[in-house]
Amino acid sequence: NDGLGPLYEVIGVAHARLGNLEEAERCFHSSLKVLRRLHPDRDHAGSLRGLGSIAAIQGNHEIALRWYDQTLENVDAKADPGTVADIKALRALVLRDAGQFDSALAELRECLKFWKAQSHPRWVATTLRQIASVQICSGDLNSAQQNLRLAIQKYHEVGDVAGIQGCESMILEELAYIESAEGKAEDYF
C-alpha cells in the first residue's frame, strides 16, 4: 500500500513533536522500510530527514549529519531545491548544537538568500529564527533579537501563530528555550 509509508512518516513527526522520540524513530524506520520495498530504486527524503532530526534532538551530531547527508544524496536538487535548503538548514542547526557557530551561520545565510529569492515569507521567517538561535548560542543577543523581530513580522504576513509564539518564547527565554524539548522539536520538526 503506497499510503502506508507516508502515514508512518506523519505519525513519526507527531510523536517527535510530542516528545515520544523512540516511537517516532520506530515510525521513521517503518516508513523507510515500506517505501524502500515499494520503490527500491530510490530513497525517501522525509523518512531520512526524520531519522536525522531524531538523532539531532538526542545530541547524536555525527549520526544526524549522516542521515541528513544521505537525504541530500537522494534529493534531486534541481527538482526540489526547497528540500535541499531545508536539509542544509537542519545540518546548520546540528553544527550550532556542536558549537560550530561560524559554519552554522554561513550555511543559514545561504539558505536565507535562497528563500528570499523564492519570495517565501514563511521560510524566510523560519531561517531568520534559525539564524537567531545560532546568534543566541554564540552570545550575540542583539543580532538575535533583531532577527527574531524580523521573523515575527514575516510570520505575521502568513498568519503563522505558532511561528510567532516560538519567536516570542526565544526572545523571553533565549538559550533555555533553544535547549528545551519544545525548542528542539520546533527546530528539527
Side-chain angles (χ1 to χ4, degrees):
N1 181 346
D2 275 356
L4 192 55
L7 180 61
Y8 276 129
E9 184 183 319
V10 170
I11 293 170
V13 170
H15 276 299
R17 286 190 170 269
L18 292 170
N20 304 326
L21 298 183
E22 286 181 24
E23 190 58 38
E25 186 174 15
R26 273 195 290 280
C27 287
F28 291 125
H29 278 296
S30 295
S31 173
L32 201 53
K33 183 178 176 181
V34 168
L35 292 170
R36 282 178 172 167
R37 188 177 65 241
L38 292 170
H39 307 284
D41 55 320
R42 62 184 168 103
D43 245 322
H44 305 278
S47 303
L48 296 169
R49 178 194 191 279
L51 289 166
S53 292
I54 294 295
I57 289 171
Q58 293 171 332
N60 298 323
H61 303 142
E62 189 176 316
I63 294 169
L65 292 173
R66 269 191 265 151
W67 281 117
Y68 290 147
D69 288 344
Q70 189 176 349
T71 307
L72 288 173
E73 290 170 12
N74 289 283
V75 173
D76 182 343
K78 290 183 182 182
D80 199 0
T83 297
V84 171
D86 175 48
I87 300 303
K88 286 184 176 185
L90 292 172
R91 286 185 95 266
L93 294 178
V94 173
L95 296 175
R96 173 203 69 194
D97 290 349
Q100 298 177 33
F101 305 127
D102 291 339
S103 297
L105 283 174
E107 190 68 61
L108 287 168
R109 287 184 178 122
E110 286 299 312
C111 293
L112 181 61
K113 193 161 90 173
F114 170 78
W115 290 118
K116 283 182 174 182
Q118 302 300 309
S119 300
H120 203 304
R122 187 191 186 290
W123 282 102
V124 168
T126 297
T127 309
L128 286 167
R129 182 184 54 74
Q130 292 167 331
I131 289 170
S133 77
V134 177
Q135 292 167 327
I136 288 169
C137 290
S138 70
D140 186 1
L141 300 181
N142 289 333
S143 296
Q145 297 286 330
Q146 290 173 335
N147 281 317
L148 287 168
R149 284 184 187 73
L150 288 172
I152 288 171
Q153 289 173 2
K154 292 291 183 184
Y155 281 132
H156 269 294
E157 284 180 29
V158 295
D160 187 334
V161 176
I164 293 166
Q165 290 171 341
C167 288
E168 289 172 347
S169 294
M170 203 180 295
I171 288 171
L172 293 172
E173 300 173 41
E174 296 173 342
L175 190 58
Y177 181 76
I178 294 166
E179 293 177 345
S180 71
E182 182 181 352
K184 291 288 185 194
E186 171 111 9
D187 273 346
Y188 290 106
F189 287 97

